[in-house]
Amino acid sequence: MLSLKFKKIGLFYCMTIMLWACGGSNGTSPDPNPDALDRKPILTHWVDNIIIPSYVNFKIKLDAMIARSDAFATAPDATTLVALRTAWAEAYTEWQKVELFEVGPGDKYTIRNFFNIYPADVTGIAQNIADPSVNMALPASFARQGFPALDYLINGLGSTDAEILTYYTIDKDASKRIAYLKRITDRMHTLLESVIEEWNGTYRETFISKTGLDIGSPMALMVNTYVLYYERYIRSGKFGIPSGAMASGTGTKYPEKVEAFYMKDLSLSLAKTAHQATIDFFNGKNVKTGESGPSFKSYLDALEAKDSNTGTLLSEVINSQFITTTAKMDLLSPNFYEQVQSNNQAMVDVYTQMQKAVRMLKVDMTSVMSITITYTDNDGD
């Protein structure tokens, strides 16, 4: 009995020592890379080197577009129309690099609702032109303003520039139409100024100081905003809806719902710019230097997150999927309206590849990061 008792005591002490040696404090393993898991540098990098500089770059393009719009309003002719159209396309393209930042001030002012809800509500635009007192902040007016409305007003009123110009010169509502152009651009200017001002003000410190992962924390908000944008506004809005890939099994195509419907050769450029912006953000690309910095990628790597099937770093798998999707986009025509009608399968192929990335971002990435997805989509993952 004594021999057995001492054996039990010895076994107890051996197990205790092993647990203490392997478990560390409180029986938990140390973080794989504590410095890289510090979220404050990530939040700071996002604000100072990506979000605010991106908004500043966009403001330059938007201001140029507004100046061209004012020049057109003063003297509507072929020269000022072409100049406005060029500036509009450049600003619209730059917008694709900031639309994903619907967090903080962007979310407060719901800037996307007033800048890029498409297709444009042509009937509603006519109603707003006729009624200068209409409330532009109401949901009914979302698709009657912003870049899609301008697309219709400078590209879609006629089949030639000469026809378009008649609506701003000799048409009975010419002055009202010019006034509406001014109203749209003034509103875009005011909203953007408000967003930038708040990012440069107290919200910057609020954003970088709250480093938790709880619902409502900047990190959680940014993850949700990012994944939502990739899923709903690029995958679905630019590809899934026009191609019919999301038409509840019917496959009904909606080519008229492509982005930049009235300047159709712009649709691919807008989509590729938006997609690249999400890739750059994932990898923490500094807008000012082009170098990679703290990011989703660096955070996943610090967590040593790996793909469960291959054992490859999850960040590498996600980046590889981004590359595959980009390659599919490279096969598309610049004109999505024609693409849907001539070879819609190529559009569906992009959607399919993007859906694979959605699962990685929305399920795998968020699970590893312990972040809850708080938005809902009804098409499954």
Side-chain angles (χ1 to χ4, degrees), residues 44 47-48 52 198-209:
T44 303
V47 174
D48 293 343
I52 292 178
E198 292 201 15
W199 270 113
N200 282 320
T202 57
Y203 187 72
R204 176 191 177 278
E205 184 60 31
T206 298
F207 187 84
I208 67 176
S209 64

Side-chain angles (χ1 to χ4, degrees), residues 338-366:
E338 291 182 355
Q339 182 72 65
V340 169
Q341 296 176 315
S342 63
N343 181 12
N344 189 52
Q345 185 57 48
M347 290 281 285
V348 175
D349 288 346
V350 173
Y351 173 86
T352 300
Q353 294 304 322
M354 291 196 75
Q355 178 59 16
K356 294 178 181 179
V358 166
R359 292 192 185 99
M360 295 175 189
L361 297 169
K362 191 175 183 180
V363 179
D364 299 339
M365 183 177 82
T366 58

Side-chain angles (χ1 to χ4, degrees), residues 230-255:
Y230 192 91
E231 178 180 17
R232 184 178 298 172
Y233 294 97
I234 305 182
R235 182 209 61 166
S236 301
K238 299 181 193 298
F239 296 97
I241 293 173
S243 69
M246 301 181 63
S248 302
T250 66
T252 304
K253 297 179 289 187
Y254 298 96

Side-chain angles (χ1 to χ4, degrees), residues 288-306:
K288 296 178 285 188
T289 68
E291 298 177 353
S292 296
S295 60
F296 289 150
K297 178 186 183 303
S298 67
Y299 193 69
L300 290 173
D301 290 348
L303 290 168
E304 297 181 357
K306 295 182 180 180

